Every structure is written in C-alpha cells, then in structure tokens.
Amino acid sequence: MTSVPIPIPSRTQYVLEEIKRRILTGRLTPGQALVETDLAAQFGVSKTPVREALKTLAGTGLVVMSQYKGVTVRMVDADMAREVYDVRLLLEPEALRRAVRRGASLDAARDALTRADEATDTAERSLTNREFHRALYLPCGNPLLGRMLDEVRDQAALVSAVAWAADPSWEREASEHREILRLALAGDAEGAARALHAHIASFVRRAFPGAELGVEEDSEAQDITEAQEITEAPATRAVQKEDGQA
C-alpha cells in the first residue's frame, strides 16, 4: 500500500516545532548556525519547509537571519533580556490579576506545576515552566492580551534556557511558582500579581545583572510612595493626589 505524502504545511509545522524545541531546551545554542541543507537532511524533508519554518522563527525572535551570516539562533544578552522582561512585567501580572478576579480555572497551571516537579531533565522543566506561566495569563478574559504575551513567550523561554544553563535555579523558582498559584487559588488577585511581578523581576535581575528593568524600578518607587502615604497626614495626602503624585 502506498503511503500518503505528508502535506507541506504539516512538514513545515513539524520542522518548526522541532527546531523550536531544540532551541528552548538548549540543544541548539545561541549563535549556532542553522543550515537549511543540514536541517532538511536531519528531518527527512526538502529545504522548502525548513526555510518556511526558519522564517516563522525569525518572526518570533528565536532566530536571526543575516545576509552575511545566514540563519543563527538568537544571542541572549542583558539588553535582550531587559526588552523581553519589561514587556512581561507590564502585562503578565495584570493578566493574572484579571484571571483571578474573574474566577478562571487554573487547573492547567496546577498540572504544569506538578509535571515540573516530576520532570527528570532540563528540557521537560523548561517546557513545563512555559506552560505554567501561559496557564496563568491565558484565562485573563482578554484574547488580545493573551496573544501579546504569547508573542514574547518563546523569547522569554530562550532567556530562561540560557540562564538555567549557567546557573540552575529550579528549586527556588518552583517554590515561587507554588506561592503564586497558592495566592491565585485563594482568590487573592493583588497578592498573586505582586508575587508574579517579584518572581519575574528577581529572575532576570539574578541572571542578567546588567538588565535594568524600568518597570521594576517604577514599581519599587510606587511601593515607597505608598508607604510614605500611610504615615502622612490626610491633608498632605490630599494635596499630593491633587498634584498627581499619589
């Protein structure tokens, strides 16, 4: 019986997912060249689906296409980490806050956390980490917000993969994940959002000390302002509000 050929779009999707998996689990490292002919031979396909897959990955920020260097896995540095994590700090805590307030199911986050605890290798932990964070923000009730976070999800995972390769910190982050989920399941939207913000900011600060996160600094300044307001007289606080300082 003659087998039915796999349609090209399916081949492209297969190649795309496999290259992405190899990048996010560290099998393909930042700066490594991605040669179409080599990849086509590895996957048993023509160069066409490989080329299309690489174009898609370039669009998501995982690979870089250069006229002179060809296609390479994107390099990760403090500037790249800052850009990606600034976006996460702006959007992800708010998405979780909304998900908790609307009483959305977080069963997927609980499942991802369980699988992360049971993971036996770095690759599985990396993938379940991505799934955990996505399960927190996806049920926020705003599909556009979810898609915006999806856009930086792969780049954030690449940052994490590089950081974990240099300094594995699974246990600390797993503990922070459990606390975030505990607060969310308890219906504490503000507490869960603050814990998530602190989790994201502390990770990139430890991994990339040169990444100055403007959102984090703004948040800290706001915390100081709020603490000062508690000790000030009501009249003083009223003046500050009129001036737009509170």
Side-chain angles (χ1 to χ4, degrees):
M1 181 176 179
T2 304
S3 61
V4 178
I6 302 175
I8 288 179
S10 297
R11 296 176 192 172
T12 300
Q13 189 63 31
Y14 164 71
V15 172
L16 170 65
E17 294 301 327
E18 182 59 23
I19 295 175
K20 180 192 293 187
R21 187 182 69 81
R22 293 183 184 188
I23 292 173
L24 298 182
T25 57
R27 286 185 60 188
L28 294 173
T29 58
Q32 184 170 342
L34 301 176
V35 182
E36 288 183 10
T37 52
D38 293 345
L39 292 171
Q42 290 178 35
F43 299 130
V45 299
S46 68
K47 291 196 296 182
T48 299
V50 172
R51 185 177 303 115
E52 293 304 314
L54 292 176
K55 287 179 181 178
T56 300
L57 291 170
T60 64
L62 283 185
V63 306
V64 176
M65 289 184 162
S66 168
Q67 181 179 354
Y68 304 104
K69 295 183 180 180
V71 183
T72 57
V73 179
R74 183 174 182 178
M75 295 295 294
V76 175
D77 57 19
D79 287 339
M80 185 265 200
R82 175 184 53 77
E83 292 174 4
V84 173
Y85 275 70
D86 263 351
V87 173
R88 291 188 66 192
L89 285 169
L90 280 167
L91 301 181
E92 204 165 321
E94 177 60 24
L96 175 59
R97 182 183 290 110
R98 294 185 180 198
V100 174
R101 285 176 177 170
R102 66 194 299 262
S105 172
L106 296 174
D107 288 345
R110 197 202 314 261
D111 292 344
L113 195 55
T114 299
R115 284 186 284 110
D117 288 339
E118 296 172 349
T120 58
D121 58 38
T122 302
E124 182 63 20
R125 289 192 185 99
S126 177
L127 294 174
T128 53
N129 178 72
R130 295 172 70 238
E131 292 171 12
F132 174 77
H133 279 274
R134 189 169 192 260
L136 293 180
Y137 68 70
L138 201 60
C140 67
N142 184 328
L144 177 58
L145 179 55
R147 289 196 297 272
M148 291 173 70
L149 282 164
D150 273 349
E151 292 235 341
V152 299
R153 186 168 66 118
D154 288 343
Q155 294 179 58
L158 179 58
V159 172
S160 298
V162 170
W164 286 326
D167 180 24
S169 53
W170 300 109
E171 292 184 3
R172 172 172 179 166
E173 282 141 32
S175 177
E176 293 173 355
H177 284 176
R178 284 189 287 270
E179 177 62 10
I180 293 166
L181 185 58
R182 183 190 69 79
L183 292 167
L185 292 174
D188 185 353
E190 294 302 323
R194 285 195 299 270
L196 178 58
H197 186 285
H199 167 69
I200 295 171
S202 64
F203 174 80
V204 74
R205 186 173 59 242
R206 292 193 311 271
F208 298 91
E212 298 181 1
L213 297 172
V215 175
E216 181 186 9
E217 294 168 357
D218 290 345
S219 177
E220 292 175 348
Q222 180 64 27
D223 289 344
I224 294 171
T225 299
E226 290 174 356
Q228 291 173 338
E229 287 179 351
I230 293 174
T231 61
E232 289 171 346
T236 303
R237 292 201 301 271
V239 171
Q240 286 183 332
K241 289 180 180 180
E242 290 176 1
D243 291 340
Q245 299 175 357

